[in-house]
C-alpha cells in the first residue's frame, strides 16, 4: 500500500499538469480547475497519510523505486521525517494556491496554461524533496527553476515580467554552476550518485583534494561545501544572489505565495539540511552561511521599510526570514531552520494571498501609499492579514514566535565563531520586522483614503477561503509542532557532529515545552522592543503619514541607500555592462579584425590575386599548355638531379 502511495505522490501532479495543457482546446475552464484541484487534493491527502504512516512505523524512512534511468540509476521516492515535512508544506500550499487561482485568474486568457504550470511546478518540487540521489535532486532543482521562469514571466507581453523572469533564470544559473561543481567532485570521489555516498567521499576529498585560491590553500571539503551553498544561495535568495526575488513579483500573486513563500525559495535550506554531513565537515563555510544569513535578515528587512509596492514589502520580508533560516543552519540548528521554514510557509503564503485579495479589491492597485481604510471594507482579508503579520512579527503564542524565537536563542547560545555578532544582527532584524509589518498594516487597512469608492468589496469565497484556512496554522502550528517534539524527530535523521549533537540535545531539553520558550521570551528584551516598535509604528502611520521624514541629511542618505537597495542592482548592471563592453571589444578585435579581415579576407584576397595571375597565363591554346608542361617536367628533373648530387 505504501509503495503505491509513494508512486502516486509524483504521478498525480504530473497528470494534473499534462491534462490541463493537452485538454486545453476541448474542455472548459471549470473542468480544468476541477480536475487539477481534485488531483492536488489527493496528492495532499497522500502526503499527510504517508507522514502519519511514517510516524507510526519503527523504520526511519519509506522508499519506492519508480524506474531505473540508464538501467543503473534508480529514481526513487524517499520519505523520512525531513522529506515528509516538505511534502506536507508543498502539497498543502499548492492545493490552496490552486483553489485561490480560480478566483484570482478567472478572467485571464492563459487560465488553463497557468494551472498546468502550477501543477508542473508542484511535481518538480515534490521530485526534488523526494530524491535520495544527486541526479534526481538536480532534475527537480532545474525543473523548479525552469517552471518558475515560465511562471514569473507568465504575463510575458509585459517587458517588466519578461525581464524579471530572465533575471531570475540567470541568477539561478550562477548558483547552479556551484551546485554542479560540488556534485561533480563528490561523485568523482565516491563513484556513486546516492546521498549516502558522501560518507565515503568525504575522507577521500579531505585526503587527496586541496585547492589554491588567491595564494591560500583551501581544504577540498570546504570548497565542495561552498559550491553546494552557492546553489542554495541563489535558490533561497541569500545575499548577494538575492536580487531576482523582489523582481519576481511581476508574476501573478498566487505564484508569489507558492514559489517565493513556501516552496522554491526554501529548496536551498532543505538541501543544506539534507546534506548536513557535508556542511558539518566545513566549519568555515558554516561561518560564512551564518554571517550572510544574519546580514541578509537585517539589511533586506530594512529595505522592506521603504518599499511602496505591497507585494515587494512582503517579498523583502521573505528575504529577511530566509536569512533567519540560513543563520540557523550556520550554527548547526538545521532542525530549527526546517521548523521556521514550516511555520513561515503558512503565514507568508497567507500574507501573499492577502496581498492578492487587496489587489483584486482595488482593481490591481499595488501602491500602499494610495491605500488606506480597508479594514472595514475587507474585514475577512484584514483579520487574516493581521494574523499573518502578527505571526511574522513573532508575537506569542502565534506560530512564527516559536520558530523565530528558538532561532534567536540557538544563535545566542552558540559557541560558533561570530555567533555573538550574528545574534545582534538577528535581534535587530526582529525589531525591524515589527516596523515594516505594522507600517504595511497601518497604511493599507487603517487611516482614511478619500479616493476609495463604494465598489470595494471582498473578492469572493474562492479567494477568502484559502486565507481562512491558512490563518489556522499561522496561529497554532508552531505551538503544536513544539508540543509534538518535532525538533527531536528531525534531529534523528539529520547528521550532527558529536559536539553539536550534545549541544542540540541540551538546547532541546531546556526548551522542550512551549511554556519554557514563552518564559524566556518575556524575560528578554527583544519581545518588548518588538511590541514597543509595533505600537510606535501604528501611531506614526495610523493617521495617513506616508513618508519617512527626510529633513535630516543623515536620514535622507539612509533613505536613499535603502531605496536603492544597497546598490546591488546597480552593481550587477555595471558588471553586466562591463562584460558586454568586453564582449563587444573582443568581437571587434578577434572576430572582425583578426578572423574576418586578417585571416579570411587576406586569404581570399591572395587567392583572388593568384587566380587572376593564373587565369592570365591560361590562353586556351594547346601550344601554351604544352610549353608549361615542358617547363614543369624540366624543373622537376633538375630538382631531382640536384638532390641526388647533394645527398649522394
Amino acid at each position: 500500500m505504501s509503495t503505491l502511495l509513494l508512486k502516486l505522490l509524483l504521478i498525480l501532479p504530473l497528470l494534473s499538469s499534462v491534462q490541463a495543457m493537452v485538454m486545453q482546446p476541448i474542455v472548459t475552464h471549470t473542468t480544468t480547475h476541477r480536475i487539477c484541484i481534485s488531483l492536488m487534493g489527493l496528492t495532499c491527502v497522500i502526503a499527510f497519510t504517508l507522514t502519519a504512516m511514517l510516524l507510526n512505523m519503527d523504520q526511519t524512512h519509506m522508499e519506492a523505486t519508480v524506474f531505473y534511468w540508464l538501467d543503473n540509476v534508480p529514481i526513487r521516492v524517499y520519505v523520512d521525517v525531513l522529506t515528509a515535512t516538505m511534502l506536507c508544506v508543498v502539497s498543502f500550499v499548492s492545493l490552496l494556491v490552486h483553489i485561490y487561482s480560480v478566483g484570482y485568474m478567472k478572467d485571464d486568457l492563459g487560465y488553463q496554461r497557468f494551472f498546468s504550470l502550477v501543477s508542473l511546478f508542484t511535481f518538480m518540487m515534490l521530485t526534488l524533496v523526494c530524491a535520495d540521489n544527486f541526479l534526481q535532486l538536480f532534475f527537480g532543482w532545474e525543473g523548479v527553476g525552469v517552471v518558475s521562469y515560465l511562471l514569473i514571466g507568465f504575463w510575458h507581453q509585459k517587458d517588466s515580467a519578461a525581464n524579471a523572469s530572465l533575471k531570475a533564470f540567470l541568477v539561478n544559473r550562477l548558483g547552479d554552476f556551484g551546485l554542479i561543481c560540488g556534485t561533480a567532485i563528490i561523485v568523482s570521489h565516491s563513484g556513486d550518485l546516492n546521498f549516502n555516498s558522501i560518507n565515503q567521499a568525504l575522507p577521500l576529498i579531505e585526503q587527496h583534494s586541496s585547492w589554491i585560491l588567491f595564494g591560500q590553500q583551501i581544504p577540498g571539503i570546504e570548497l565542495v561545501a561552498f559550491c553546494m551553498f552557492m546553489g542554495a544561495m541563489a535558490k533561497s535568495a541569500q545575499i548577494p544572489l538575492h536580487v531576482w526575488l523582489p523582481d519576481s513579483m511581476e508574476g501573478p500573486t498566487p505564484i508569489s505565495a507558492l514559489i517565493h513563500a513556501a516552496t522554491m525559495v526554501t529548496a536551498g535550506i532543505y538541501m543544506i539540511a539534507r546534506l548536513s554531513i557535508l556542511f558539518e565537515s566545513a566549519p568555515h563555510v558554516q561561518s560564512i552561511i551564518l554571517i550572510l544569513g544574519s546580514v541578509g535578515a537585517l539589511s533586506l528587512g530594512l529595505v522592506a521599510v521603504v518599499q511602496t509596492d505591497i507585494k515587494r514589502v512582503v517579498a523583502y520580508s521573505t528575504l529577511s526570514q530566509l536569512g533567519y533560516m540560513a543563520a540557523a543552519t550556520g550554527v548547526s540548528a538545521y532542525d530549527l531552520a526546517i521548523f521556521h521554514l514550516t511555520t513561515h510557509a503558512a503565514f507568508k503564503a497567507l500574507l501573499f494571498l492577502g496581498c492578492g485579495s487587496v489587489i483584486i479589491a482595488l482593481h490591481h492597485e499595488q501602491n500602499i501609499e494610495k491605500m488606506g481604510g480597508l479594514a472595514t471594507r475587507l474585514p475577512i482579508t484584514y483579520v487574516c492579514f493581521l494574523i499573518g503579520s502578527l505571526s511574522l512579527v513573532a508575537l506569542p503564542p502565534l506560530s512564527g514566535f516559536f520558530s523565530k524565537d528558538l532561532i534567536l536563542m540557538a544563535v545566542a547560545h552558540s559557541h560558533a565563531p561570530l555567533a555573538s555578532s550574528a545574534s545582534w544582527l538577528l535581534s535587530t532584524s526582529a525589531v525591524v520586522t515589527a516596523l515594516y509589518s505594522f507600517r504595511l498594516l497601518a497604511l493599507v487597512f487603517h487611516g482614511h483614503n478619500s479616493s476609495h469608492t463604494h465598489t470595494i468589496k471582498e473578492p469572493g469565497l474562492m479567494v477568502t477561503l484559502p486565507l481562512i484556512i491558512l490563518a489556522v496554522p499561522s496561529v497554532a502550528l508552531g505551538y503544536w509542532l513544539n508540543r509534538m517534539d518535532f525538533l527531536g524527530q528531525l534531529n534523528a535523521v539529520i547528521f550532527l557532529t558529536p559536539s553539536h549533537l550534545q549541544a542540540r540535545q541540551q538546547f532541546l531539553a531546556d526548551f522542550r515545552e512551549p511554556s519554557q520558550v514563552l518564559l524566556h521570551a518575556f524575560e528578554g528584551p527583544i519581545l518588548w522592543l518588538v511590541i514597543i516598535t509595533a505600537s510606535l509604528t501604528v501611531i506614526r502611520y495610523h493617521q495617513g503619514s506616508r513618508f519617512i521624514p527626510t529633513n535630516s541629511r543623515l536620514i535622507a542618505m539612509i533613505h536613499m541607500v535603502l531605496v536603492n537597495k544597497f546598490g546591488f542592482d546597480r552593481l550587477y548592471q555595471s558588471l553586466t555592462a562591463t562584460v558586454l563592453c568586453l564582449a563587444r571589444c573582443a568581437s571587434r578585435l578577434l572576430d572582425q579584425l583578426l578572423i574576418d579581415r586578417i585571416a579570411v579576407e587576406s586569404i581570399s584576397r591572395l587567392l583572388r590575386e593568384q587566380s587572376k595571375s593564373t587565369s592570365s597565363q591560361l590562353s586556351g591554346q594547346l601550344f601554351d599548355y604544352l610549353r608549361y608542361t615542358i617547363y614543369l617536367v624540366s624543373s622537376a628533373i633538375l630538382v631531382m638531379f640536384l638532390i641526388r648530387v647533394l645527398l649522394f
Side-chain angles (χ1 to χ4, degrees), residues 295-425:
V295 171
L298 176 57
S299 61
L300 299 175
L302 287 170
V303 175
V305 175
V306 300
Q307 295 298 305
T308 57
D309 185 297
I310 185 172
K311 289 173 62 177
R312 286 181 181 263
V313 175
V314 184
Y316 277 101
S317 168
T318 299
L319 291 171
S320 180
Q321 299 307 304
L322 288 169
Y324 280 90
M325 301 176 205
T329 64
V331 294
S332 298
Y334 306 98
D335 53 341
L336 294 181
I338 300 301
F339 187 17
H340 194 50
L341 182 157
T342 306
T343 59
H344 176 265
F347 65 73
K348 190 52 63 66
L350 174 59
L351 288 174
F352 269 117
L353 296 185
C355 290
S357 179
V358 171
I359 292 170
I360 294 173
L362 297 182
H363 309 290
H364 297 278
E365 176 60 63
Q366 295 186 203
N367 190 338
I368 61 176
E369 295 180 350
K370 298 180 180 178
M371 301 179 187
L374 296 180
T376 56
R377 310 248 183 145
L378 307 174
I380 298 176
T381 300
Y382 171 64
V383 172
C384 294
F385 204 94
L386 177 62
I387 291 173
S389 298
L390 293 176
S391 189
L392 170 62
V393 172
L395 290 181
L398 278 73
S399 293
F401 163 75
F402 290 98
S403 57
K404 183 188 283 189
D405 204 63
L406 285 172
I407 289 177
L408 292 174
M409 287 189 283
V411 175
H413 287 76
S414 174
H415 298 291
L418 304 174
S420 58
S421 300
S423 177
W424 183 86
L425 291 170

Side-chain angles (χ1 to χ4, degrees), residues 56-257:
N56 292 323
M57 292 172 57
D58 294 332
Q59 298 177 342
T60 59
H61 70 275
M62 297 183 293
E63 63 179 60
T65 301
V66 181
F67 67 94
Y68 282 86
W69 187 73
L70 296 180
D71 296 331
N72 59 357
V73 180
I75 303 301
R76 292 193 183 100
V77 180
Y78 178 92
V79 179
D80 58 10
V81 175
L82 178 58
T83 302
T85 303
M86 296 299 296
L87 291 179
C88 293
V89 169
V90 173
S91 59
F92 180 67
V93 175
S94 178
L95 173 61
L96 295 181
V97 166
H98 275 77
I99 297 172
Y100 183 89
S101 300
V102 175
Y104 192 89
M105 302 293 293
K106 62 181 179 180
D107 297 324
D108 197 280
L109 297 177
Y111 186 86
Q112 290 163 298
R113 175 167 60 94
F114 179 84
F115 273 89
S116 176
L117 290 175
V118 174
S119 297
L120 182 60
F121 176 85
T122 306
F123 163 73
M124 290 296 182
M125 192 66 197
L126 293 177
T127 302
L128 189 159
V129 299
C130 289
D132 72 337
N133 60 76
F134 287 102
L135 177 65
Q136 188 173 337
L137 173 73
F138 185 73
F139 173 77
W141 192 273
E142 294 301 310
V144 294
V146 171
V147 181
S148 67
Y149 165 79
L150 297 173
L151 286 169
I152 294 170
F154 183 79
W155 291 319
H156 52 80
Q157 64 275 13
K158 295 167 52 181
D159 290 340
S160 57
N163 293 335
S165 62
L166 181 60
K167 186 176 184 179
F169 189 83
L170 293 177
V171 172
N172 277 276
R173 296 294 71 73
L174 292 176
D176 292 348
F177 173 76
L179 180 68
I180 293 170
C181 292
T183 301
I185 296 173
I186 294 173
V187 174
S188 65
H189 283 82
S190 66
D192 192 359
L193 289 167
N194 198 281
F195 290 153
N196 294 329
S197 65
I198 299 180
N199 293 322
Q200 293 79 36
L202 289 182
L204 296 175
I205 295 174
E206 185 175 9
Q207 183 178 1
H208 300 293
S209 296
S210 61
W211 305 78
I212 304 298
L213 186 64
F214 302 117
Q216 300 293 324
Q217 186 174 8
I218 301 176
I221 293 180
E222 298 281 357
L223 181 65
V224 173
F226 183 76
C227 287
M228 301 302 286
F229 174 62
M230 278 186 63
M233 192 189 303
K235 196 70 73 178
S236 291
Q238 297 296 308
I239 284 180
L241 300 183
H242 66 284
V243 293
W244 65 271
L245 192 142
D247 288 351
S248 67
M249 296 300 106
E250 293 292 337
T253 300
I255 298 310
S256 302

Side-chain angles (χ1 to χ4, degrees), residues 450-468:
S450 58
S451 64
H452 289 167
T453 64
H454 63 280
T455 58
I456 297 176
K457 59 181 180 179
E458 293 284 3
L461 183 62
M462 283 298 184
V463 173
T464 56
L465 179 61
L467 299 180
I468 298 171

Side-chain angles (χ1 to χ4, degrees), residues 51 110 124 140 219 240 288 301 527 553 584:
T51 302
M124 290 296 182
I288 293 173
L527 178 60
R553 179 174 298 181
R584 284 192 292 267

Side-chain angles (χ1 to χ4, degrees), residues 586-597:
S587 174
R588 292 174 182 174
L589 179 63
L590 298 177
D591 190 28
Q592 298 179 16
L593 180 61
L594 184 61
I595 297 176
D596 288 348
R597 295 186 181 180

